[in-house]
Amino acid sequence: MNPSTVFIALIGFSFLAFFVGRRKAVARQLASSGIKPHSLPGYHGGYVALWSVIPGLLLFTLWLIIKPVFIRAQVLANLPNEISVLPEGQLSLIYNDIRNLAEGNIVSSDPTVYVEAAAQQYINLTYISDLSLAVSVLVLVLVALAWSMRRVQPEMRARNKVEWAIQALLMCASTIAIFTTIGIFLSVLFESLRFFQRVPLFDFLFGLDWSPQTAIREDQVGSSGAFGAVPLFAGTLLISSIAMLVAVPVGLMSAIYLSEYASSKMRAIAKPLLEVLAGIPTVVYGYFAALTVAPLFRGMGENIGLTVSSESALGAGVVMGIMIIPFISSLSDDVLNAVPQALREGSFGLGATHSETIRLVLLPAALPGIVGGILLAVSRAIGETMIVVMAAGLAANLTINPFEAVTTVTVQIVTLLVGDQEFDSAKTLAAFALGLLLFLTTLILNIIALRVVRRYREQYE
Amino acid sequence: MSQSVPKTKTHVPDETENDLSIGESEHKTVGDYTAKEPIFQARNVNVYYADNHAIKDVSLDVGVNQVISLIGPSGCGKSTFIRCLNRMNDTIDSARITGEILLDGEDIYSREMDVVMLRARVGIVFQKPNPFPKSIFDNVAYGPRIHGLARNRAELDDIVQSSLERAGLWSEVKDRLTDPGTGLSGGQQQRLCIARTIAVGPEVILMDEPCSALDPIATARIEDLIDELKQNFAIVIVTHSMQQAARVSQRTAYFHLGYLAEVGDTNDIFTNPQHKLTEDYITGRFG
Ligand SMILES: Nc1ncnc2c1ncn2[C@@H]1O[C@H](COP(=O)(O)OP(=O)(O)OP(=O)(O)O)[C@@H](O)[C@H]1O
Ligand SMILES: [Mg+2]
């Protein structure tokens, strides 16, 4: 019995349980016409379905976790003595061989006798455990079904129980995001700690020099590498600021125009068009920045006597800003629309002009939503890689001159990881440290923004 | 100014008129819709919300130093009518208005009309209280600030305090002027909105059920305010309380299904209604 068959059977069984439960509820309620039943038959069906299948599902999940561990322990314990004392790394390789053999995959070398025996054992154990899973799930489900069917009575509060189950489901869904965040954070953290064993934290945080080329072989002339993150963060900051300088005013103003002044026809046309901007792949924006905007800026710069390098922070930032406009305009437009009409009327009724009303009433009321949109845009800007690679270059210059080439954290992470370095070289690990720092930066940004919003928000109910 | 001859038509009630619908002949307004010294003159006003004909051929004057109350069953168009008087209906996309409304002889729907100044001259207190999500002080100071009515902070403080006092809210909020206006109770919010409107110093005040959420004491306070304001201004008040209409207003207009059924001196309307529908309404046979 294949485990996935068990799973599908469980789901199918829940439908069956639903109908059985509902039928019984209908029958019971007909029989006891005197009392008014607490819940509709559908809820009884839902109750039976949930309560008969959930224990089986739990067992199934538990088994999924335990089975590999259990089988591994069993198989390794039966290996000859001289092998089971090998270090963990080699043991893992051998175990992989055993599994590959058992599952009919390609094996690294000719199997030795003990590997063949172990593979046979692996097959047996898998078979036994799958079978026992099927049997125990079946028994559990039947017991649970019988138990929950017995509880289907007119006075049983199936409605509340189903409500509870739904709530639990929603809660699980919401915790997934939290656990994922924690998981990502921890995995980045551990790699970063390994990096900080090689490069001092202080040098990383405050070093002004970034040149991660390290010698791969002893005899190479490559430099020893400098891992000062400051130029990268300065570059990120510079490009993101330029992007926000473009995106926030333009996005906000177009949102105000669309939600307050535009006729509904204009709105119907302009809004989808603006949102198309968000759908363009960033690579395409990258071409646009490198082939159109950057030369344009360089030409304009030459005309007024400025030296603009062909890969400049300005070009990348402006194009990134254009890419971000729809984020801000779309979200701000929604929150402006959500401000009650009564507030507009109150302001008009006191003799305020439309723009006074927007400035004094609507924007303050919509502020939390707008800041939310801007924040989202900032994280987009900080995380954006493609446009920068193509238009701003890889040179880690520490500058605030927007006409020079700069590089950003995300771009460096990519270049660090695509090289053919050993996985535990300082160069590769540096990518994780950068990632961690980036993560913390956006986290702090978010916290500050939340504070600001809470401080200045004007709540309407 | 007024060209139209006052129409007076005596209504003879008859047995067939017991339902809400009114026949063709009943569309004419009973009573004199003109005022001796009119500030507002509305002539043949029609309002449509898309296809819904909400105000039907209404002509009505608002006199200076007078209170006129608009009464009538729910949905008959009272709010719609007063919102025409300062062009609040402009904010509703589907609303369309025909006819003529003169303020001091000037057509408020003409192209030259400065709608923003119009609304400063003709203040409105809405049916549902709509304080801004700002502090109590800022709510009241909103109008004076945008119109530059105070030269310095002390003058602004004075305007805010006197407006709140006249609306009967000062004693309740004087210690928490920085609290949000939205945190007040429903009745307090209603008075805050009244204070906000009178702080601008309008010439006409339109009040849409200003006392619907007020207790008798606060109501009496607002009625005193109305008496006081009418010394200098004109007031249009929508109310569902016959007693209130009788107490505060000199003239009363009865609206019915978008028509202005009857208008006249408040005393006459309540003691001797000419229109069967008015009589039914004020004697509580429906509405
Ligand atoms: N914003 C609007 N859009 C469409 N129709 C509206 C709107 N406002 C009012 N109406 C319609 O106009 C008619 C008159 O409404 P109005 O609000 O003027 O009544 P009212 O006399 O003030 O009633 P109430 O005493 O309940 O406040 C109603 O039929 C209503 O459905
Ligand atoms: Mg109304």
mmCIF file of all heavy atoms in Angstrom, chain A residues 341-343 345-353 356-357 360-361 364-365 458-461, chain B residues 83 88 91-92 116 119-120 122-124 126 130-134 142 146-147 182 196-197 200:
data_model
loop_
_atom_site.group_PDB
_atom_site.id
_atom_site.type_symbol
_atom_site.label_atom_id
_atom_site.label_comp_id
_atom_site.label_asym_id
_atom_site.label_seq_id
_atom_site.Cartn_x
_atom_site.Cartn_y
_atom_site.Cartn_z
ATOM 1 N N GLN A 341 -16.873 58.767 1.825
ATOM 2 C CA GLN A 341 -17.331 59.934 1.083
ATOM 3 C C GLN A 341 -17.784 61.033 2.042
ATOM 4 O O GLN A 341 -17.627 62.219 1.761
ATOM 5 C CB GLN A 341 -18.477 59.503 0.160
ATOM 6 C CG GLN A 341 -19.080 60.593 -0.698
ATOM 7 C CD GLN A 341 -18.115 61.093 -1.760
ATOM 8 O OE1 GLN A 341 -17.077 60.482 -1.998
ATOM 9 N NE2 GLN A 341 -18.442 62.216 -2.352
ATOM 10 N N ALA A 342 -18.301 60.645 3.201
ATOM 11 C CA ALA A 342 -18.813 61.636 4.154
ATOM 12 C C ALA A 342 -17.717 62.604 4.589
ATOM 13 O O ALA A 342 -17.996 63.771 4.858
ATOM 14 C CB ALA A 342 -19.404 60.934 5.373
ATOM 15 N N LEU A 343 -16.471 62.133 4.650
ATOM 16 C CA LEU A 343 -15.386 63.032 5.034
ATOM 17 C C LEU A 343 -15.122 64.066 3.952
ATOM 18 O O LEU A 343 -14.874 65.239 4.235
ATOM 19 C CB LEU A 343 -14.108 62.246 5.317
ATOM 20 C CG LEU A 343 -14.136 61.374 6.563
ATOM 21 C CD1 LEU A 343 -12.786 60.721 6.788
ATOM 22 C CD2 LEU A 343 -14.511 62.205 7.768
ATOM 23 N N GLU A 345 -17.353 65.161 1.858
ATOM 24 C CA GLU A 345 -18.475 66.091 1.885
ATOM 25 C C GLU A 345 -18.332 67.062 3.043
ATOM 26 O O GLU A 345 -18.619 68.245 2.913
ATOM 27 C CB GLU A 345 -19.782 65.325 2.001
ATOM 28 C CG GLU A 345 -20.058 64.490 0.767
ATOM 29 C CD GLU A 345 -21.492 64.028 0.696
ATOM 30 O OE1 GLU A 345 -22.167 64.036 1.750
ATOM 31 O OE2 GLU A 345 -21.937 63.670 -0.402
ATOM 32 N N GLY A 346 -17.875 66.544 4.198
ATOM 33 C CA GLY A 346 -17.703 67.417 5.355
ATOM 34 C C GLY A 346 -16.741 68.544 5.030
ATOM 35 O O GLY A 346 -16.981 69.706 5.389
ATOM 36 N N SER A 347 -15.682 68.212 4.335
ATOM 37 C CA SER A 347 -14.692 69.231 4.004
ATOM 38 C C SER A 347 -15.217 70.183 2.939
ATOM 39 O O SER A 347 -15.111 71.411 3.079
ATOM 40 C CB SER A 347 -13.408 68.551 3.537
ATOM 41 O OG SER A 347 -12.496 69.501 3.086
ATOM 42 N N PHE A 348 -15.830 69.647 1.893
ATOM 43 C CA PHE A 348 -16.415 70.525 0.864
ATOM 44 C C PHE A 348 -17.461 71.440 1.479
ATOM 45 O O PHE A 348 -17.560 72.612 1.137
ATOM 46 C CB PHE A 348 -17.087 69.693 -0.236
ATOM 47 C CG PHE A 348 -16.135 68.899 -1.064
ATOM 48 C CD1 PHE A 348 -16.513 67.676 -1.592
ATOM 49 C CD2 PHE A 348 -14.861 69.373 -1.322
ATOM 50 C CE1 PHE A 348 -15.646 66.938 -2.357
ATOM 51 C CE2 PHE A 348 -13.982 68.628 -2.097
ATOM 52 C CZ PHE A 348 -14.381 67.416 -2.603
ATOM 53 N N GLY A 349 -18.242 70.865 2.392
ATOM 54 C CA GLY A 349 -19.329 71.620 2.993
ATOM 55 C C GLY A 349 -18.840 72.796 3.816
ATOM 56 O O GLY A 349 -19.594 73.719 4.102
ATOM 57 N N LEU A 350 -17.574 72.769 4.217
ATOM 58 C CA LEU A 350 -17.012 73.904 4.957
ATOM 59 C C LEU A 350 -16.326 74.880 4.008
ATOM 60 O O LEU A 350 -15.684 75.825 4.448
ATOM 61 C CB LEU A 350 -16.004 73.406 5.993
ATOM 62 C CG LEU A 350 -16.634 72.608 7.131
ATOM 63 C CD1 LEU A 350 -15.565 71.933 7.963
ATOM 64 C CD2 LEU A 350 -17.480 73.508 8.006
ATOM 65 N N GLY A 351 -16.456 74.648 2.715
ATOM 66 C CA GLY A 351 -15.874 75.577 1.759
ATOM 67 C C GLY A 351 -14.426 75.308 1.446
ATOM 68 O O GLY A 351 -13.694 76.226 1.103
ATOM 69 N N ALA A 352 -14.010 74.055 1.555
ATOM 70 C CA ALA A 352 -12.633 73.729 1.192
ATOM 71 C C ALA A 352 -12.587 73.357 -0.283
ATOM 72 O O ALA A 352 -13.550 72.817 -0.823
ATOM 73 C CB ALA A 352 -12.117 72.563 2.031
ATOM 74 N N THR A 353 -11.473 73.655 -0.922
ATOM 75 C CA THR A 353 -11.325 73.233 -2.313
ATOM 76 C C THR A 353 -10.966 71.753 -2.349
ATOM 77 O O THR A 353 -10.672 71.148 -1.313
ATOM 78 C CB THR A 353 -10.215 74.006 -3.021
ATOM 79 O OG1 THR A 353 -8.991 73.697 -2.367
ATOM 80 C CG2 THR A 353 -10.455 75.497 -2.967
ATOM 81 N N GLU A 356 -7.406 71.184 -1.120
ATOM 82 C CA GLU A 356 -7.320 71.339 0.349
ATOM 83 C C GLU A 356 -7.884 70.104 1.029
ATOM 84 O O GLU A 356 -7.322 69.599 2.008
ATOM 85 C CB GLU A 356 -8.096 72.582 0.799
ATOM 86 C CG GLU A 356 -7.373 73.876 0.532
ATOM 87 C CD GLU A 356 -8.284 75.104 0.652
ATOM 88 O OE1 GLU A 356 -9.517 74.948 0.744
ATOM 89 O OE2 GLU A 356 -7.752 76.206 0.634
ATOM 90 N N THR A 357 -8.990 69.626 0.488
ATOM 91 C CA THR A 357 -9.597 68.427 1.065
ATOM 92 C C THR A 357 -8.641 67.243 0.982
ATOM 93 O O THR A 357 -8.485 66.497 1.945
ATOM 94 C CB THR A 357 -10.894 68.105 0.307
ATOM 95 O OG1 THR A 357 -11.738 69.244 0.362
ATOM 96 C CG2 THR A 357 -11.591 66.911 0.905
ATOM 97 N N LEU A 360 -5.632 67.989 3.469
ATOM 98 C CA LEU A 360 -5.899 68.103 4.906
ATOM 99 C C LEU A 360 -6.721 66.948 5.461
ATOM 100 O O LEU A 360 -6.651 66.654 6.647
ATOM 101 C CB LEU A 360 -6.635 69.424 5.188
ATOM 102 C CG LEU A 360 -5.851 70.679 4.814
ATOM 103 C CD1 LEU A 360 -6.715 71.919 4.958
ATOM 104 C CD2 LEU A 360 -4.610 70.794 5.678
ATOM 105 N N VAL A 361 -7.524 66.320 4.624
ATOM 106 C CA VAL A 361 -8.406 65.271 5.155
ATOM 107 C C VAL A 361 -8.061 63.901 4.586
ATOM 108 O O VAL A 361 -7.840 62.946 5.326
ATOM 109 C CB VAL A 361 -9.884 65.606 4.860
ATOM 110 C CG1 VAL A 361 -10.779 64.479 5.327
ATOM 111 C CG2 VAL A 361 -10.274 66.895 5.538
ATOM 112 N N PRO A 364 -4.142 62.492 5.207
ATOM 113 C CA PRO A 364 -3.928 62.030 6.584
ATOM 114 C C PRO A 364 -4.729 60.773 6.913
ATOM 115 O O PRO A 364 -4.232 59.861 7.561
ATOM 116 C CB PRO A 364 -4.406 63.207 7.439
ATOM 117 C CG PRO A 364 -4.273 64.383 6.561
ATOM 118 C CD PRO A 364 -4.557 63.903 5.171
ATOM 119 N N ALA A 365 -5.966 60.718 6.420
ATOM 120 C CA ALA A 365 -6.782 59.546 6.742
ATOM 121 C C ALA A 365 -6.246 58.304 6.043
ATOM 122 O O ALA A 365 -6.354 57.196 6.554
ATOM 123 C CB ALA A 365 -8.239 59.798 6.341
ATOM 124 N N GLU A 458 -4.681 58.957 11.326
ATOM 125 C CA GLU A 458 -5.953 59.548 11.706
ATOM 126 C C GLU A 458 -7.004 58.505 11.386
ATOM 127 O O GLU A 458 -7.260 58.201 10.235
ATOM 128 C CB GLU A 458 -6.199 60.831 10.928
ATOM 129 C CG GLU A 458 -5.207 61.910 11.296
ATOM 130 C CD GLU A 458 -5.583 63.263 10.700
ATOM 131 O OE1 GLU A 458 -6.371 63.285 9.759
ATOM 132 O OE2 GLU A 458 -5.086 64.264 11.216
ATOM 133 N N GLN A 459 -7.593 57.977 12.433
ATOM 134 C CA GLN A 459 -8.456 56.833 12.221
ATOM 135 C C GLN A 459 -9.883 57.271 11.948
ATOM 136 O O GLN A 459 -10.418 58.114 12.633
ATOM 137 C CB GLN A 459 -8.441 55.970 13.481
ATOM 138 C CG GLN A 459 -8.467 54.515 13.165
ATOM 139 C CD GLN A 459 -7.980 53.705 14.339
ATOM 140 O OE1 GLN A 459 -7.722 54.249 15.407
ATOM 141 N NE2 GLN A 459 -7.890 52.411 14.161
ATOM 142 N N TYR A 460 -10.467 56.705 10.915
ATOM 143 C CA TYR A 460 -11.880 56.977 10.689
ATOM 144 C C TYR A 460 -12.627 55.682 10.871
ATOM 145 O O TYR A 460 -12.140 54.619 10.535
ATOM 146 C CB TYR A 460 -12.125 57.542 9.292
ATOM 147 C CG TYR A 460 -11.573 56.708 8.178
ATOM 148 C CD1 TYR A 460 -12.271 55.632 7.680
ATOM 149 C CD2 TYR A 460 -10.330 56.996 7.633
ATOM 150 C CE1 TYR A 460 -11.752 54.867 6.659
ATOM 151 C CE2 TYR A 460 -9.809 56.233 6.621
ATOM 152 C CZ TYR A 460 -10.519 55.178 6.139
ATOM 153 O OH TYR A 460 -10.009 54.413 5.127
ATOM 154 N N GLU A 461 -13.822 55.771 11.444
ATOM 155 C CA GLU A 461 -14.607 54.553 11.579
ATOM 156 C C GLU A 461 -15.958 54.763 10.927
ATOM 157 O O GLU A 461 -16.536 55.809 11.064
ATOM 158 C CB GLU A 461 -14.807 54.181 13.039
ATOM 159 C CG GLU A 461 -14.068 52.886 13.377
ATOM 160 C CD GLU A 461 -12.629 53.137 13.786
ATOM 161 O OE1 GLU A 461 -12.443 53.869 14.758
ATOM 162 O OE2 GLU A 461 -11.721 52.636 13.103
ATOM 163 N N ARG B 83 -29.385 69.751 0.043
ATOM 164 C CA ARG B 83 -28.040 69.605 -0.532
ATOM 165 C C ARG B 83 -27.913 70.326 -1.874
ATOM 166 O O ARG B 83 -26.802 70.608 -2.319
ATOM 167 C CB ARG B 83 -27.703 68.124 -0.692
ATOM 168 C CG ARG B 83 -27.437 67.432 0.650
ATOM 169 C CD ARG B 83 -27.431 65.925 0.472
ATOM 170 N NE ARG B 83 -26.465 65.554 -0.540
ATOM 171 C CZ ARG B 83 -25.242 65.102 -0.268
ATOM 172 N NH1 ARG B 83 -24.874 64.948 0.975
ATOM 173 N NH2 ARG B 83 -24.405 64.809 -1.229
ATOM 174 N N MET B 88 -24.028 70.594 -2.753
ATOM 175 C CA MET B 88 -23.387 69.386 -2.241
ATOM 176 C C MET B 88 -23.642 68.218 -3.185
ATOM 177 O O MET B 88 -22.877 67.258 -3.208
ATOM 178 C CB MET B 88 -23.952 69.025 -0.868
ATOM 179 C CG MET B 88 -23.189 69.431 0.359
ATOM 180 S SD MET B 88 -21.513 69.938 0.186
ATOM 181 C CE MET B 88 -20.691 68.391 0.155
ATOM 182 N N THR B 91 -21.132 66.448 -5.667
ATOM 183 C CA THR B 91 -20.179 65.385 -5.359
ATOM 184 C C THR B 91 -20.736 64.007 -5.697
ATOM 185 O O THR B 91 -20.014 63.023 -5.608
ATOM 186 C CB THR B 91 -19.801 65.386 -3.873
ATOM 187 O OG1 THR B 91 -20.986 65.156 -3.113
ATOM 188 C CG2 THR B 91 -19.187 66.711 -3.459
ATOM 189 N N ILE B 92 -22.013 63.943 -6.032
ATOM 190 C CA ILE B 92 -22.594 62.643 -6.384
ATOM 191 C C ILE B 92 -22.647 62.556 -7.898
ATOM 192 O O ILE B 92 -23.293 63.368 -8.554
ATOM 193 C CB ILE B 92 -23.997 62.491 -5.776
ATOM 194 C CG1 ILE B 92 -23.885 62.550 -4.240
ATOM 195 C CG2 ILE B 92 -24.633 61.200 -6.217
ATOM 196 C CD1 ILE B 92 -25.210 62.595 -3.553
ATOM 197 N N VAL B 116 -16.783 77.018 -4.069
ATOM 198 C CA VAL B 116 -16.094 76.954 -2.787
ATOM 199 C C VAL B 116 -16.567 78.086 -1.871
ATOM 200 O O VAL B 116 -16.865 77.866 -0.691
ATOM 201 C CB VAL B 116 -14.570 77.015 -3.028
ATOM 202 C CG1 VAL B 116 -13.838 77.194 -1.736
ATOM 203 C CG2 VAL B 116 -14.115 75.755 -3.727
ATOM 204 N N ARG B 119 -20.120 77.501 -0.589
ATOM 205 C CA ARG B 119 -20.254 76.585 0.554
ATOM 206 C C ARG B 119 -19.763 77.220 1.837
ATOM 207 O O ARG B 119 -20.161 76.816 2.927
ATOM 208 C CB ARG B 119 -19.508 75.290 0.270
ATOM 209 C CG ARG B 119 -20.196 74.506 -0.835
ATOM 210 C CD ARG B 119 -19.497 73.201 -1.067
ATOM 211 N NE ARG B 119 -20.113 72.484 -2.191
ATOM 212 C CZ ARG B 119 -19.424 71.827 -3.098
ATOM 213 N NH1 ARG B 119 -18.107 71.781 -3.022
ATOM 214 N NH2 ARG B 119 -20.044 71.206 -4.066
ATOM 215 N N ALA B 120 -18.875 78.203 1.717
ATOM 216 C CA ALA B 120 -18.492 78.930 2.928
ATOM 217 C C ALA B 120 -19.643 79.824 3.382
ATOM 218 O O ALA B 120 -19.841 80.046 4.574
ATOM 219 C CB ALA B 120 -17.243 79.769 2.663
ATOM 220 N N VAL B 122 -22.898 79.207 2.662
ATOM 221 C CA VAL B 122 -24.042 78.361 2.995
ATOM 222 C C VAL B 122 -23.514 77.091 3.659
ATOM 223 O O VAL B 122 -23.109 76.157 2.996
ATOM 224 C CB VAL B 122 -24.854 78.010 1.732
ATOM 225 C CG1 VAL B 122 -26.076 77.211 2.106
ATOM 226 C CG2 VAL B 122 -25.229 79.263 0.978
ATOM 227 N N GLY B 123 -23.499 77.115 4.979
ATOM 228 C CA GLY B 123 -22.945 75.973 5.703
ATOM 229 C C GLY B 123 -23.945 74.842 5.808
ATOM 230 O O GLY B 123 -25.150 75.049 5.702
ATOM 231 N N ILE B 124 -23.427 73.634 6.006
ATOM 232 C CA ILE B 124 -24.337 72.486 6.098
ATOM 233 C C ILE B 124 -23.919 71.573 7.247
ATOM 234 O O ILE B 124 -22.734 71.381 7.502
ATOM 235 C CB ILE B 124 -24.367 71.712 4.752
ATOM 236 C CG1 ILE B 124 -25.413 70.592 4.802
ATOM 237 C CG2 ILE B 124 -22.993 71.176 4.382
ATOM 238 C CD1 ILE B 124 -25.786 70.038 3.436
ATOM 239 N N PHE B 126 -24.571 67.790 8.256
ATOM 240 C CA PHE B 126 -25.098 66.613 7.572
ATOM 241 C C PHE B 126 -25.952 65.756 8.484
ATOM 242 O O PHE B 126 -25.881 65.847 9.714
ATOM 243 C CB PHE B 126 -23.958 65.780 7.005
ATOM 244 C CG PHE B 126 -23.231 66.468 5.894
ATOM 245 C CD1 PHE B 126 -22.115 67.232 6.160
ATOM 246 C CD2 PHE B 126 -23.684 66.385 4.590
ATOM 247 C CE1 PHE B 126 -21.442 67.877 5.150
ATOM 248 C CE2 PHE B 126 -23.023 67.032 3.566
ATOM 249 C CZ PHE B 126 -21.905 67.788 3.849
ATOM 250 N N ASN B 130 -20.170 63.552 10.689
ATOM 251 C CA ASN B 130 -18.967 63.108 9.974
ATOM 252 C C ASN B 130 -17.755 63.908 10.431
ATOM 253 O O ASN B 130 -17.145 64.615 9.648
ATOM 254 C CB ASN B 130 -19.160 63.235 8.467
ATOM 255 C CG ASN B 130 -19.550 64.650 8.044
ATOM 256 O OD1 ASN B 130 -19.881 65.470 8.885
ATOM 257 N ND2 ASN B 130 -19.489 64.932 6.777
ATOM 258 N N PRO B 131 -17.394 63.812 11.724
ATOM 259 C CA PRO B 131 -16.208 64.532 12.164
ATOM 260 C C PRO B 131 -14.984 64.020 11.422
ATOM 261 O O PRO B 131 -14.936 62.849 11.046
ATOM 262 C CB PRO B 131 -16.120 64.197 13.658
ATOM 263 C CG PRO B 131 -16.862 62.929 13.804
ATOM 264 C CD PRO B 131 -17.945 62.957 12.775
ATOM 265 N N PHE B 132 -14.025 64.907 11.219
ATOM 266 C CA PHE B 132 -12.768 64.480 10.602
ATOM 267 C C PHE B 132 -11.983 63.656 11.608
ATOM 268 O O PHE B 132 -12.103 63.871 12.813
ATOM 269 C CB PHE B 132 -11.926 65.693 10.208
ATOM 270 C CG PHE B 132 -12.597 66.587 9.227
ATOM 271 C CD1 PHE B 132 -12.691 67.951 9.456
ATOM 272 C CD2 PHE B 132 -13.140 66.080 8.058
ATOM 273 C CE1 PHE B 132 -13.315 68.780 8.551
ATOM 274 C CE2 PHE B 132 -13.767 66.908 7.141
ATOM 275 C CZ PHE B 132 -13.860 68.263 7.398
ATOM 276 N N PRO B 133 -11.165 62.743 11.126
ATOM 277 C CA PRO B 133 -10.324 61.978 12.068
ATOM 278 C C PRO B 133 -9.188 62.825 12.603
ATOM 279 O O PRO B 133 -8.033 62.458 12.503
ATOM 280 C CB PRO B 133 -9.844 60.794 11.216
ATOM 281 C CG PRO B 133 -9.960 61.253 9.816
ATOM 282 C CD PRO B 133 -11.016 62.290 9.747
ATOM 283 N N LYS B 134 -9.532 63.972 13.151
ATOM 284 C CA LYS B 134 -8.539 64.886 13.716
ATOM 285 C C LYS B 134 -8.976 65.205 15.128
ATOM 286 O O LYS B 134 -10.025 64.757 15.580
ATOM 287 C CB LYS B 134 -8.504 66.182 12.912
ATOM 288 C CG LYS B 134 -8.143 66.035 11.454
ATOM 289 C CD LYS B 134 -8.215 67.394 10.787
ATOM 290 C CE LYS B 134 -7.872 67.287 9.316
ATOM 291 N NZ LYS B 134 -6.535 66.756 9.079
ATOM 292 N N TYR B 142 -10.870 73.789 11.473
ATOM 293 C CA TYR B 142 -10.640 73.464 10.063
ATOM 294 C C TYR B 142 -11.098 74.592 9.128
ATOM 295 O O TYR B 142 -10.319 75.099 8.317
ATOM 296 C CB TYR B 142 -11.381 72.164 9.727
ATOM 297 C CG TYR B 142 -11.106 71.625 8.354
ATOM 298 C CD1 TYR B 142 -10.016 70.817 8.119
ATOM 299 C CD2 TYR B 142 -11.946 71.909 7.281
ATOM 300 C CE1 TYR B 142 -9.758 70.308 6.858
ATOM 301 C CE2 TYR B 142 -11.700 71.407 6.017
ATOM 302 C CZ TYR B 142 -10.603 70.607 5.813
ATOM 303 O OH TYR B 142 -10.357 70.112 4.562
ATOM 304 N N ILE B 146 -8.782 77.337 6.837
ATOM 305 C CA ILE B 146 -8.683 77.405 5.371
ATOM 306 C C ILE B 146 -9.197 78.740 4.851
ATOM 307 O O ILE B 146 -8.776 79.178 3.786
ATOM 308 C CB ILE B 146 -9.406 76.229 4.656
ATOM 309 C CG1 ILE B 146 -10.862 76.138 5.070
ATOM 310 C CG2 ILE B 146 -8.708 74.931 4.892
ATOM 311 C CD1 ILE B 146 -11.593 75.038 4.323
ATOM 312 N N HIS B 147 -10.077 79.405 5.614
ATOM 313 C CA HIS B 147 -10.561 80.700 5.134
ATOM 314 C C HIS B 147 -9.790 81.863 5.738
ATOM 315 O O HIS B 147 -10.126 83.022 5.507
ATOM 316 C CB HIS B 147 -12.047 80.845 5.439
ATOM 317 C CG HIS B 147 -12.894 79.836 4.730
ATOM 318 N ND1 HIS B 147 -12.969 79.771 3.360
ATOM 319 C CD2 HIS B 147 -13.656 78.814 5.185
ATOM 320 C CE1 HIS B 147 -13.760 78.768 3.011
ATOM 321 N NE2 HIS B 147 -14.173 78.164 4.097
ATOM 322 N N THR B 182 -13.436 61.746 16.440
ATOM 323 C CA THR B 182 -14.157 60.514 16.153
ATOM 324 C C THR B 182 -14.385 59.690 17.417
ATOM 325 O O THR B 182 -15.167 58.752 17.412
ATOM 326 C CB THR B 182 -13.377 59.659 15.137
ATOM 327 O OG1 THR B 182 -11.986 59.793 15.408
ATOM 328 C CG2 THR B 182 -13.639 60.122 13.736
ATOM 329 N N ARG B 196 -18.432 73.031 14.077
ATOM 330 C CA ARG B 196 -17.525 73.145 12.948
ATOM 331 C C ARG B 196 -18.125 74.036 11.860
ATOM 332 O O ARG B 196 -17.435 74.821 11.229
ATOM 333 C CB ARG B 196 -17.317 71.728 12.413
ATOM 334 C CG ARG B 196 -16.256 71.560 11.400
ATOM 335 C CD ARG B 196 -16.091 70.086 11.120
ATOM 336 N NE ARG B 196 -17.175 69.549 10.288
ATOM 337 C CZ ARG B 196 -17.227 68.291 9.877
ATOM 338 N NH1 ARG B 196 -16.293 67.436 10.233
ATOM 339 N NH2 ARG B 196 -18.226 67.880 9.131
ATOM 340 N N THR B 197 -19.451 73.874 11.666
ATOM 341 C CA THR B 197 -20.106 74.652 10.622
ATOM 342 C C THR B 197 -20.240 76.124 11.019
ATOM 343 O O THR B 197 -19.953 77.010 10.213
ATOM 344 C CB THR B 197 -21.497 74.061 10.323
ATOM 345 O OG1 THR B 197 -21.321 72.702 9.951
ATOM 346 C CG2 THR B 197 -22.184 74.816 9.216
ATOM 347 N N VAL B 200 -17.287 78.793 10.705
ATOM 348 C CA VAL B 200 -16.955 79.469 9.456
ATOM 349 C C VAL B 200 -17.752 80.770 9.317
ATOM 350 O O VAL B 200 -17.424 81.632 8.506
ATOM 351 C CB VAL B 200 -17.227 78.518 8.265
ATOM 352 C CG1 VAL B 200 -16.858 79.149 6.947
ATOM 353 C CG2 VAL B 200 -16.460 77.226 8.455
#
